[in-house]
Amino acid sequence: MKPIRLLLAWIVSIAAVSAADTSPRERISFNNGWRFTKDDPLAVGEALNYERIKDWVLPTGDELLNYKHPAQRVRRPDGNPAGDVTYTRAAFDDSKWRSLDLPHDWGIEGPFQQNLDGETGKLPWFGTAWYRKKFDVPASDAGRNVYLEIDGAMSYAMVWINGQFVGGWPYGYSSWRVDLTPHLKPGAENVVAIRLDNPRESSRWYPGGGIYRNVWLLKTSPIQVAQWGVFVTTPTITRDAASVDVGVTLDNKTAARAEVKVGVKLFAADAYGKPVGDAVVSGEERQVRVEPARQANVSHTLRVASPKLWGLKERNRYVAETTVSHEGKVVDRVLTPFGIRSIEHTADDGFLLNGERVQLYGVCNHHDLGALGAAINTRALERQLEILREMGGNAIRTSHNPPAPELLELCDRMGFLVMDEPFDCWAMGKKRDDYGRVFHDWHEKDLRAMMRRDRNHPSVIQWSIGNEVREQFEPDGWKLAAHLAAIVREEDSSRPVVGGFNNIQSGFNGFQRVVDVVGYNYKPSEYAPLRKRHPHVMQMGAETASTLSTRGEYFFPISDDKLEGRSDFQMSSHDLSAARWAHTPDTEWRGLDENPFVMGEFVWTGFDYLGEPTPYNADATNLMNYANPVDRERAAKELAELGKILVPSRSSYFGIIDIAGFPKDRYYLYQARWRPELKMAYILPHWNWPDRVGEITPVFVYSSGDEAELFLNGKSQGRRKRGALEYRFRWNEVKYEPGELKVVVYKNGAVWAENVKRTTGAAAKLTLTPDRATLRADGQDLSFVTVTVADKDGLMIPRAKNALKFTLTGPGEILATDNGDPTSFESFQSPERKAFNGLALVIVRTKAGEAGAITLKATGEGLAPAEVALKSE
Ligand code: GAL
């Protein structure tokens, strides 16, 4: 029996590796073993200024620009810019520099500084820094091409290999690569040096600083599939069959003409986009000629019978395996996961996925991961999506920049729709030194780079060309919009062009004509007038709400004036407050419900983020830095209102979920609407108001039911119906007395859900609740542990702010702590932290290759300590 079983296993394993592992292409993580230092070496002066080196930087990624006309490529000038700067040199002794692994964000390490802008998080993310890494290149790599691939480096990166400048990239959110081949030394040690430079006045939010995304070393044959060189589309889809077009771009990096053969096979994919089983269909090999130092294109059309569609519930995917052969040898093989799904944006009936209307329940998110800063961690992103999915969210706008590639992979796998967005500004910047400075030279490359990288993700349903750009206010602004839209359509005609617009000039300023879908930011009252005048224009709420709240804070008396609800640099959590230009969720929903042709919305924001602590962001420093006089004036007004103070606030109040990942009350308001089938009811505020006995303390209930009765200590406070265009139950006259609030909710007359809120006892103990207790020992995996200050019965103490301490034993580390308070200036790396309104968060990370039991302990004065066991395996 045994030999047969072995043989079988061997056959199975051959089949399983048929796709990936035999490729001559190798993509190796290049994250580990870097040296880092902040600032430039002394007295280099202007030698490293981008403007001085620009001519050498500009040719980087040029094939994205002139891929059709390679003869127009710009040549890198001779010479070696800054080659005499010590840090660039191979022989430089960097042994005194700090050693670290990527991804890395130096800004999040702090410390917070009160004199820094609240708008960018009061963290020192700006300035210059260097990264160096030594690595061995085997002699067998001679004759291969070796690229350094960077998913994102903030910002103005410049790269030297063995002392020789090889390129760079200004925009911190783009993915890009440089070719190390010409200066690489196979069979020897090599040194790569990277300089970053973050201009201080370059962002409206916390951008982070550093090589904050993953970095790879890519090794290929000189005849190869080009960067992001496979594009899969599915032009026709029926129940019986889908046609799948696989377009392939090849690079010939040799000095000789090459006759190559390109074959394509399609496989079903597992949940992670990896091929499984035998090919479902194979295309015939195509012959193609590639001239030396040129590119060539070839395409295959294949037919998949009875296709399994990608959708939000079932996320079926396929993988295209592209094989390139030259002179009888396989020289490259690339796997491209994709999905078969149809999308349709309409003017009359919203957005359709696979022929069925899907309302966009979307959120805008910035890229930072709270206490982890900008440094990408896949599990942290996955957790964000899990929290959003539980709320009923189904879409993400990558506001306002290309995301980490891992986010799109997660959206494919977990079933989210994506609005992929390249820019927050065009040529007319919003801050003195923002992207506007390089827009002219770089926008086309950045836009094409984003699209080529992201175009095979079924989750991506539309391409944005930018957010609230200042060009909207210019009579000729639409021309630039038309230029960008043309680039998008040239790259991909299968998805529409959209933008986030806030200047509507009575419904038309020319932008509406050049995009496919108008994304309105905070304009629920404009949906109907625009439709009346231009019935064929498709519309969505690209940015909605900007409602403001702090988890667990409530101010009285409550007011329906959206500019109220402010106190002590916090925002009341009654969900009635919003930014001056913005709305409560209720107002946005009225706009959507009265105009059902609108595709849905992207709420500002899913999660709180570092920076932009509106309405408390009018620092004096901040005020002067708006490029635009209108913004300067608005900021001046805010500053006058607040008085000339530095605002003690470092993160936003917009999130439905706080920066630590704890849902605010609003989470349940959205859940009630976005998951109408879920039997849920949620009461606010908490019921610990010893200072309010006998005073009016309104109670709200968020529920998917349509009728509700509230009881205080058993006494009915009235049974209410939720009318059309009403989204919450309110009892405005409740007089506080300690005890129990209970709501019974009905739907269509039958009991639907109940919820209770009780006055708690005194703080007595801590509890620890990990989101996951079994982790991978890969040095990346995280457990997010919620720390609760509770009474003896385990009820969370809603106003607890106890000082807490955490210790850990076993193969893990406390990576960060947080509590969701936008005014906390405790270090995110500190193992000590105050609870905020009953909660704190500890983020535990495993150690690579070290399995075992991890114990996390929490202590706080006067509280029974708590302990939780985690396992790393
Ligand atoms: C919008 C802008 C966002 C954010 C938001 C805050 O106008 O597009 O980036 O600033 O306001 O309300």
Side-chain angles (χ1 to χ4, degrees):
M1 280 308 283
K2 225 177 182 180
I4 295 177
R5 225 189 285 149
L6 272 179
L7 183 67
L8 266 178
W10 181 74
I11 293 171
V12 168
S13 72
I14 293 264
V17 296
S18 85
D21 311 347
T22 57
S23 178
R25 166 181 292 251
E26 271 183 278
R27 194 166 189 252
I28 307 157
S29 170
F30 207 56
N31 285 341
N32 291 347
W34 289 80
R35 294 275 176 179
F36 171 79
T37 193
K38 198 71 180 57
D39 302 326
D40 287 324
L42 285 177
V44 293
E46 280 292 284
L48 291 160
N49 187 313
Y50 170 75
E51 293 300 330
R52 285 273 294 269
I53 296 185
K54 185 172 134 177
D55 288 348
W56 284 267
V57 182
L58 275 179
T60 315
D62 198 46
E63 61 272 14
L64 291 167
L65 209 54
N66 293 307
Y67 65 106
K68 282 188 183 149
H69 310 290
Q72 293 172 7
R73 284 189 196 160
V74 273
R75 245 193 94 246
R76 183 159 286 137
D78 292 336
N80 184 25
D84 52 348
V85 171
T86 51
Y87 291 3
T88 69
R89 292 194 186 150
F92 174 75
D93 177 11
D94 59 20
S95 59
K96 302 254 155 50
W97 290 14
R98 174 174 160 196
S99 58
L100 52 74
D101 296 334
L102 308 179
H104 172 238
D105 171 7
W106 75 68
I108 200 66
E109 295 168 359
F112 287 106
Q113 291 166 38
Q114 278 303 337
N115 62 337
L116 296 180
D117 268 354
E119 191 187 30
T120 57
K122 292 187 185 281
L123 285 165
W125 52 270
F126 44 83
T128 61
W130 290 77
Y131 293 82
R132 285 169 56 97
K133 178 176 159 80
K134 298 191 170 120
F135 62 109
D136 289 323
V137 178
S140 55
D141 278 352
R144 298 175 95 184
N145 280 80
V146 180
Y147 301 91
L148 177 66
E149 295 196 324
I150 301 209
D151 287 351
M154 192 66 72
S155 59
Y156 286 89
M158 297 177 186
V159 184
W160 291 261
I161 178 77
N162 300 323
Q164 182 67 41
F165 186 83
V166 283
W169 205 281
Y171 195 30
Y173 295 105
S174 280
S175 296
W176 48 279
R177 75 183 191 185
V178 287
D179 189 356
L180 305 179
T181 318
H183 306 285
L184 205 68
K185 295 185 188 143
E189 185 181 79
N190 290 256
V191 188
V192 64
I194 301 179
R195 179 190 189 250
L196 302 181
D197 181 4
N198 271 345
R200 187 156 165 173
E201 313 303 345
S202 58
S203 187
R204 297 193 299 116
W205 56 86
Y206 174 78
I211 308 180
Y212 70 104
R213 289 183 183 159
N214 290 309
V215 176
W216 311 87
L217 207 58
L218 173 71
K219 302 178 178 185
T220 67
S221 314
I223 297 168
Q224 62 194 253
V225 173
Q227 184 184 24
W228 306 308
V230 178
F231 185 17
V232 185
T233 49
T234 55
T236 57
I237 302 168
T238 66
R239 191 192 279 266
D240 297 334
S243 65
V244 178
D245 284 352
V246 182
V248 181
T249 305
L250 301 166
D251 259 328
N252 179 359
K253 303 270 181 185
T254 73
R257 164 184 293 175
E259 305 286 346
V260 303
K261 286 189 177 147
V262 179
V264 173
K265 288 182 186 175
L266 304 183
F267 294 81
D270 67 10
Y272 294 85
K274 302 272 178 290
V276 284
D278 297 333
V280 292
V281 52
S282 303
E284 246 170 53
E285 278 195 329
R286 292 265 149 96
Q287 183 101 17
V288 57
R289 169 176 300 174
V290 203
E291 300 295 337
R294 289 285 190 273
Q295 295 188 327
N297 296 308
V298 58
S299 74
H300 292 71
T301 299
L302 298 97
R303 181 176 178 279
V304 173
S306 313
K308 291 196 166 142
L309 303 187
W310 182 90
L312 296 183
K313 292 213 178 72
E314 285 181 32
R315 279 84 67 179
N316 298 302
R317 278 192 284 172
Y318 293 85
V319 180
E321 180 203 73
T322 307
T323 303
V324 184
S325 319
H326 180 237
E327 293 174 346
K329 260 185 25 209
V330 171
V331 291
D332 204 357
R333 179 171 284 145
V334 170
L335 296 180
T336 310
F338 68 98
I340 300 177
R341 50 82 178 130
S342 73
I343 54 171
E344 212 180 325
H345 295 68
T346 76
D348 298 331
D349 193 24
F351 169 76
L352 281 69
L353 178 64
N354 298 325
E356 277 174 31
R357 175 151 188 179
V358 173
Q359 188 75 4
L360 298 178
Y361 297 145
V363 299
C364 303
N365 274 344
H366 273 317
H367 71 312
D368 78 61
L369 293 167
L372 305 181
I376 163 83
N377 177 286
T378 308
R379 173 57 205 159
L381 276 174
E382 182 182 46
R383 169 188 181 241
Q384 288 197 335
L385 294 182
E386 286 169 1
I387 295 169
L388 291 170
R389 189 166 60 184
E390 180 61 25
M391 179 173 69
N394 66 10
I396 304 282
R397 175 181 177 193
T398 70
S399 46
H400 304 296
N401 42 259
E406 289 79 5
L407 176 69
L408 300 177
E409 170 57 29
L410 286 166
C411 288
D412 285 354
R413 169 150 65 82
M414 298 173 71
F416 280 83
L417 306 169
V418 177
M419 167 164 164
D420 209 357
E421 181 154 88
F423 310 121
D424 187 47
C425 73
W426 296 345
M428 303 174 76
K430 295 178 179 172
K431 304 286 289 184
R432 194 186 68 207
D433 292 327
D434 66 11
Y435 188 72
R437 224 169 85 174
V438 295
F439 179 85
H440 176 75
D441 287 334
W442 287 90
H443 69 272
E444 191 174 343
K445 270 194 265 191
D446 282 314
L447 182 52
R448 290 190 195 274
M450 178 186 90
M451 292 186 63
R452 299 236 188 127
R453 189 195 68 174
D454 298 348
R455 61 192 176 178
N456 293 311
H457 289 281
S459 55
V460 175
I461 57 162
Q462 56 204 27
W463 304 110
S464 166
I465 52 172
N467 173 62
E468 295 189 357
V469 295
R470 304 239 61 96
E471 281 82 353
Q472 287 173 108
F473 298 86
E474 299 296 304
D476 275 355
W478 63 271
K479 289 185 181 163
L480 198 41
H483 163 73
L484 294 165
I487 295 172
V488 171
R489 291 182 184 120
E490 187 178 83
E491 287 287 336
D492 178 15
S493 57
S494 75
R495 299 174 176 94
V497 181
V498 57
F501 302 125
N502 60 333
N503 178 37
I504 42 133
Q505 293 185 351
S506 329
F508 239 86
N509 62 359
F511 276 63
Q512 292 85 345
R513 213 187 305 272
V514 301
V515 297
D516 299 311
V517 184
V518 170
Y520 269 143
N521 290 7
Y522 313 107
K523 299 285 180 287
S525 59
E526 294 297 330
Y527 300 140
L530 179 63
R531 179 167 170 86
K532 202 158 169 217
R533 291 182 55 195
H534 305 282
H536 302 301
V537 171
M538 304 190 260
Q539 300 190 45
M540 68 175 58
E543 213 177 292
T544 59
S546 270
T547 303
L548 298 164
S549 64
T550 308
R551 177 180 54 77
E553 295 287 312
Y554 304 90
F555 307 134
F556 303 94
I558 67 164
S559 162
D560 281 283
D561 176 349
K562 70 181 180 186
L563 299 182
E564 297 286 321
R566 307 175 179 190
S567 182
D568 287 337
F569 299 101
Q570 301 291 6
M571 295 301 306
S572 183
S573 189
H574 287 100
D575 300 327
L576 297 171
S577 306
R580 195 189 307 279
W581 52 90
H583 310 286
T584 60
D586 316 55
T587 304
E588 295 283 4
W589 292 343
R590 248 166 256 136
L592 290 171
D593 288 346
E594 287 173 339
N595 301 285
F597 54 88
V598 180
M599 293 172 205
E601 63 177 326
F602 291 91
V603 180
W604 193 268
T605 48
F607 284 77
D608 272 332
Y609 51 95
L610 292 164
E612 209 180 19
T614 301
Y616 307 120
N617 57 355
D619 297 2
T621 42
N622 185 4
L623 171 65
M624 301 322 298
N625 297 319
Y626 282 108
N628 182 278
V630 178
D631 287 338
R632 271 208 301 274
E633 211 175 285
R634 190 192 75 198
K637 223 162 132 191
E638 283 181 13
L639 190 67
E641 274 170 26
L642 287 166
K644 272 204 181 302
I645 40 168
L646 284 173
V647 172
S649 189
R650 47 73 166 162
S651 50
S652 76
Y653 304 81
F654 294 117
I656 298 171
I657 299 147
D658 80 15
I659 197 165
F662 300 133
K664 301 180 189 172
D665 296 325
R666 234 186 305 155
Y667 184 88
Y668 301 96
L669 190 56
Y670 282 95
Q671 189 179 57
R673 178 177 171 88
W674 289 358
R675 295 184 64 186
E677 76 297 341
L678 184 73
K679 296 186 173 181
M680 54 79 65
Y682 178 87
I683 299 175
L684 69 137
H686 62 73
W687 214 238
N688 276 32
W689 301 105
D691 40 349
R692 299 190 58 77
V693 175
E695 286 187 54
I696 295 217
T697 307
V699 174
F700 295 177
V701 167
Y702 300 158
S703 172
S704 45
D706 56 20
E707 203 179 342
E709 184 164 15
L710 183 74
F711 301 89
L712 173 54
N713 293 327
K715 284 191 301 278
S716 176
Q717 307 291 306
R719 186 162 164 162
R720 305 271 147 91
K721 269 206 157 69
R722 194 150 66 84
L725 307 181
E726 282 175 7
Y727 306 96
R728 54 176 103 185
F729 298 99
R730 292 172 68 152
W731 290 264
N732 288 331
E733 306 302 326
V734 179
K735 287 208 174 111
Y736 179 77
E737 61 184 55
E740 183 190 271
L741 275 177
K742 178 176 171 180
V743 71
V744 181
V745 177
Y746 303 84
K747 192 164 173 180
N748 301 325
V751 174
W752 176 254
E754 292 185 0
N755 191 228
V756 168
K757 210 139 242 185
R758 284 193 191 94
T759 308
T760 73
K765 64 179 183 186
L766 293 168
T767 63
L768 294 177
T769 317
D771 68 338
R772 282 160 65 248
T774 305
L775 308 172
R776 290 181 307 275
D778 60 3
Q780 301 291 323
D781 204 2
L782 306 176
S783 185
F784 289 83
V785 184
T786 300
V787 186
T788 308
V789 182
D791 68 6
K792 65 176 184 0
D793 300 324
L795 287 181
M796 191 257 273
I797 311 290
R799 291 160 95 175
K801 305 214 166 41
N802 307 52
L804 307 175
K805 282 188 187 167
F806 309 106
T807 52
L808 180 144
T809 54
E813 59 180 327
I814 294 175
L815 184 60
T817 58
D818 197 0
N819 61 15
D821 177 0
T823 66
S824 166
F825 291 95
E826 292 166 287
S827 156
F828 283 127
Q829 292 85 42
S830 171
E832 298 184 16
R833 175 163 294 273
K834 282 164 80 178
F836 179 62
N837 293 335
L839 300 177
L841 177 77
V842 181
I843 307 174
V844 175
R845 182 167 67 182
T846 60
K847 295 201 164 158
E850 294 181 41
I854 299 172
T855 306
L856 179 71
K857 275 190 195 156
T859 56
E861 223 181 275
L863 301 169
E867 216 177 274
V868 70
L870 309 173
K871 200 159 78 185
S872 181
E873 55 181 38

